Amino acid sequence: MSNITVHRQVFQINDLNLWYGEHHALKSINFPINKKEVTAIIGPSGCGKSTFIKTLNLMINYVPNVRMTGEINYNGQNILNEKMDLVELRKNVGMVFQKGNPFPQSIFDNVAYGPRIHGIKRRTHLEEIVTKSLMDVALWDEVKDRLDAPALGLSGGQQQRLCIARALATKPDVLLMDEPTSALDPISTLKIEQLILELKEKYTIVIVTHNMQQASRVSDQTAFFLMGELIELDDTSKIFSNPKDERTEGYITGRFG
């Protein structure tokens, strides 16, 4: 009997190229992303990490003069196809940004925002979703007595967990996180990292991080980007202990970047 683990890929990116005007920002990216795993993306500033993660739910489309070629297959469907339903895509592929960005509304209304957009109006149903989403991010006990209070009154770490709860409320398949702890203190960072490890039981997670230790702590596979190219992709333990490419080793050991 074979011991090979069969990964089911949520994303399969084939020969993806992206230009901002004349600038060739992503170059021939081939990248499988496995279901219910955490994939970390590392690399120096300006290497294409954030650009890449924003292609996965086409948030990149908001940037003027962007052009892409190749394929981004999500569950077998190429999302670069013009017929793609972007509302449905972003429901299934949620995004959490670098800094918690709650809406200037109550804690409850922040989490209920997505479900309401997707047609859920009944208060009892919304209450169930909000409660579960806040529990999933370990925020319920901290805010359950003030759900009508402004979300902007929460601490930075709480705001970031609220934004994760808001992303989870639409029941996504994939959670994209673009440097979700870069603006947080060490204790809040640890809470988010613990949360990521718990959430991968249910979700596929892709995280961009500048923090090498964070990538090694939370991810199953790590991708190293440099100047718009995917230099190396492997199991995180191999990337950090025995990288194949000397540029990966140079970055991880701090010789550049």
Side-chain angles (χ1 to χ4, degrees):
M1 186 172 163
S2 170
N3 290 325
I4 295 170
T5 304
V6 177
H7 293 295
R8 196 167 96 62
Q9 288 161 4
V10 175
F11 277 99
Q12 176 61 55
I13 294 92
N14 297 322
D15 198 27
L16 175 66
N17 286 273
L18 181 146
W19 292 263
Y20 294 119
E22 298 297 310
H23 175 58
H24 196 178
L26 293 176
K27 303 167 186 173
S28 302
I29 306 293
N30 293 286
F31 196 155
I33 295 174
N34 299 326
K35 187 177 180 65
K36 291 187 180 173
E37 285 191 4
V38 179
T39 299
I41 301 174
I42 62 171
S45 293
C47 69
K49 303 185 298 295
S50 289
T51 293
F52 174 75
I53 201 173
K54 286 174 189 159
T55 67
L56 298 179
N57 68 350
L58 296 181
M59 292 293 279
I60 199 72
N61 287 4
Y62 291 117
V63 180
N65 300 319
V66 161
R67 182 167 64 88
M68 287 181 275
T69 61
E71 295 179 338
I72 303 174
N73 293 303
Y74 167 59
N75 288 332
Q77 182 180 10
N78 182 12
I79 67 173
L80 297 183
N81 187 318
E82 289 173 13
K83 299 188 185 78
M84 192 69 214
D85 181 340
L86 291 183
V87 173
E88 188 65 17
L89 174 66
R90 289 172 189 152
K91 175 179 180 286
N92 292 323
V93 185
M95 186 92 170
V96 176
F97 295 95
Q98 190 166 354
K99 194 170 182 300
N101 58 338
F103 303 137
Q105 299 172 318
S106 71
I107 293 167
F108 183 94
D109 287 340
N110 263 270
V111 183
Y113 179 83
R116 280 177 173 144
I117 281 183
H118 293 284
I120 296 171
K121 301 285 185 251
R122 207 171 78 244
R123 178 77 186 186
T124 51
H125 193 179
L126 288 170
E127 284 171 351
E128 286 170 16
I129 293 169
V130 169
T131 302
K132 183 177 186 312
S133 302
L134 290 170
M135 283 180 164
D136 282 350
V137 301
L139 193 56
W140 173 251
D141 287 339
E142 296 170 41
V143 302
K144 63 185 177 187
D145 298 325
R146 50 183 176 132
L147 294 176
D148 293 330
L152 294 170
L154 296 173
S155 71
Q158 288 174 325
Q159 286 188 15
Q160 191 62 294
R161 280 185 286 150
L162 179 69
C163 291
I164 296 170
R166 190 173 69 198
L168 297 182
T170 60
K171 298 188 176 157
D173 180 31
V174 180
L175 200 54
L176 309 176
M177 299 178 140
D178 191 2
E179 296 191 48
T181 63
S182 65
L184 301 181
D185 62 86
I187 291 171
S188 296
T189 295
L190 186 61
K191 283 184 178 174
I192 299 285
E193 288 183 7
Q194 288 169 338
L195 180 58
I196 289 168
L197 293 172
E198 290 163 18
L199 290 176
K200 79 168 184 176
E201 300 291 320
K202 301 179 191 170
Y203 305 96
T204 302
I205 298 173
V206 183
I207 178 171
V208 167
T209 180
H210 270 299
N211 185 325
M212 299 294 119
Q213 290 76 23
Q214 182 171 80
S216 66
R217 284 192 296 261
V218 304
S219 68
D220 299 286
Q221 60 171 6
T222 295
F224 172 56
F225 275 64
L226 183 65
M227 298 178 72
E229 294 182 44
L230 173 56
I231 302 300
E232 189 165 352
L233 170 68
D234 210 333
D235 291 345
T236 295
S237 56
K238 290 180 186 168
I239 287 279
F240 283 97
S241 64
N242 190 24
K244 296 188 181 80
D245 193 292
E246 61 184 20
R247 291 168 293 180
T248 312
E249 184 176 16
Y251 180 70
I252 287 168
T253 56
R255 288 206 295 277
F256 73 91

